[in-house]
Each structure stands twice: as structure tokens, then as C-alpha cells.
Amino acid sequence: MKGAGDPRSDAVTGSGAGDPAAGAGAVGRLRGTEPSTGRAGFGAGDGDGGRGTAASGAARGGDKLRKAPAGEGRLLAGRYRLGAVLGRGGMGTVWRAVDETLGRTVAVKELRFPSSIDEDEKRRLITRTLREAKAIARIRNNGAVTVYDVVDEDDRPWIVMELIEGKSLADAVREDGTLTPQRAAEVGLAILDVLRSAHREASCTAT
């Protein structure tokens, strides 16, 4: 189901700790209306979600001196070419990237560590992020973002995901006004459908 006012955020959101149900809360959305910057969080990024502007990947009209973000143009695993920053938060950065093997555009979540945490905490965050990536990857639902790959570089995981173009629910409300009761119900039912898929997967895994 397409349309503005989409709560799905692209698998990089949420504060769950690896439980598919927790991950699904971050993933539930309707296709076609949320950028896969995804409120950059993916569990290990509580507080993430600062989204880049539309001009984050290209110089604004005539601004030829725009400084490219550190890492732009980098090739991960000999395959994923980083482009513009789509979202940035306290624990992560989400990049637009190109899968040069398959020739498709993807979103890549880079896990970043605050300078204040120790090595034990870093290992916990890495474990948590990988657990959530696996949980979300198992969910089979059109309302959930697809996790394509996990790349290990710089001693931390980079999560490669489906890129969804569009606007967030917050943007839709700000630009178009409050959702109609019918549209709000559609959004809620879409989220519920993903949560049901997550719980079914959790039950199958547990057995």
C-alpha cells in the first residue's frame, strides 16, 4: 500500500535488543513514503534519526565548494560505493550507496561509537546490532525493509539495506496536515501486520 504518511522507517530504527518483535516496531511501514535514511538507529543507535537535507548529496545551487562528507566515495567490501549521507545520529550514519555488483542503489547503516565508551561496551553494541540485523532479515513482509548484507570493516558492522524513497510520517503530517481517520487506520494496520509477522518468526525460531 502506497501513499504519504508512512511509518515504516527502513530497518535502521528502533530500540529493540535483537528480538524480531522489537525490530519490527522499527521496521513497520507502508512502502513508498519513507526515505531509507530510516531515522538512523537500528537498535544500537538510540537517539539517531537526524536526517540529511535534500542537498546532502549534491552541492546546493552553485555551491561548488561543498565539502564532501568523510567517507563519501569509499568502497566497502569491494562492492558498495558510499554516496551522500541520508541520516545521522548519536550512534550511526546512514548512507546512500550503490551496489556495484548488482547495479542497484541501497542504504548502508554505519555503526559509530561515541568516544566515551570502552571496548566492552563497543562489543556489546556490535553484538546487539548484528542480532537485530538477523532478526529483521528473517521477517517476510512487504511492510518491512529488506536487509541485504552485513559488511565488517573498521572493526564494526555496516548494514546494507533496501533503500526506500519518500517522506516520513512526520514530514507528511507537517506538509499535508493531520491524517484522516481512514489513513491513520491504514497506517496502524500496516504496522500491526509487520508486528504479527515478527511474532510469527519469533515463535518459529523459538521452537
Side-chain angles (χ1 to χ4, degrees), residues 47-162:
D48 286 10
R51 189 168 45 169
T53 65
S56 62
R60 286 191 179 89
D63 182 8
K64 298 179 181 179
L65 299 178
R66 181 188 68 89
K67 184 177 180 180
E72 186 172 325
R74 176 178 178 179
L75 188 65
L76 295 177
R79 176 173 180 174
Y80 304 107
R81 181 76 64 181
L82 299 183
V85 171
L86 296 176
R88 195 188 304 274
M91 297 292 287
T93 300
V94 178
W95 302 80
R96 177 185 293 271
V98 174
D99 179 347
E100 296 188 346
T101 299
L102 297 180
R104 65 181 174 187
T105 303
V106 296
V108 176
K109 167 66 187 292
E110 172 191 5
L111 179 63
R112 302 182 68 89
F113 305 114
S115 58
S116 58
I117 67 172
D118 59 23
E119 291 302 315
D120 287 341
E121 182 62 21
K122 286 182 181 180
R123 284 192 290 272
R124 282 193 290 271
L125 288 176
I126 289 172
T127 299
R128 174 181 174 180
T129 300
L130 292 174
R131 189 166 60 236
E132 290 186 3
K134 291 176 182 178
I136 293 171
R138 289 195 298 265
I139 299 172
R140 295 290 180 265
N141 188 289
N142 287 335
V145 170
T146 302
V147 174
Y148 294 136
D149 197 3
V150 178
V151 174
D152 184 8
E153 293 218 7
D154 300 336
D155 297 320
R156 63 183 185 272
W158 301 63
I159 314 301
V160 183
M161 302 162 290
E162 175 186 12

Side-chain angles (χ1 to χ4, degrees), residues 1-2 6 8-10 27-33 139-146 162 164 190-191 193-195 197-198 200:
M1 186 177 297
K2 300 180 183 295
D6 183 341
R8 186 172 78 161
S9 62
D10 81 335
V27 191
R29 70 181 180 184
L30 304 176
R31 284 188 179 274
T33 62
I139 299 172
R140 295 290 180 265
N141 188 289
N142 287 335
V145 170
T146 302
E162 175 186 12
I164 303 296
I191 296 173
D193 187 51
V194 177
L195 287 172
S197 296
R200 281 196 299 269

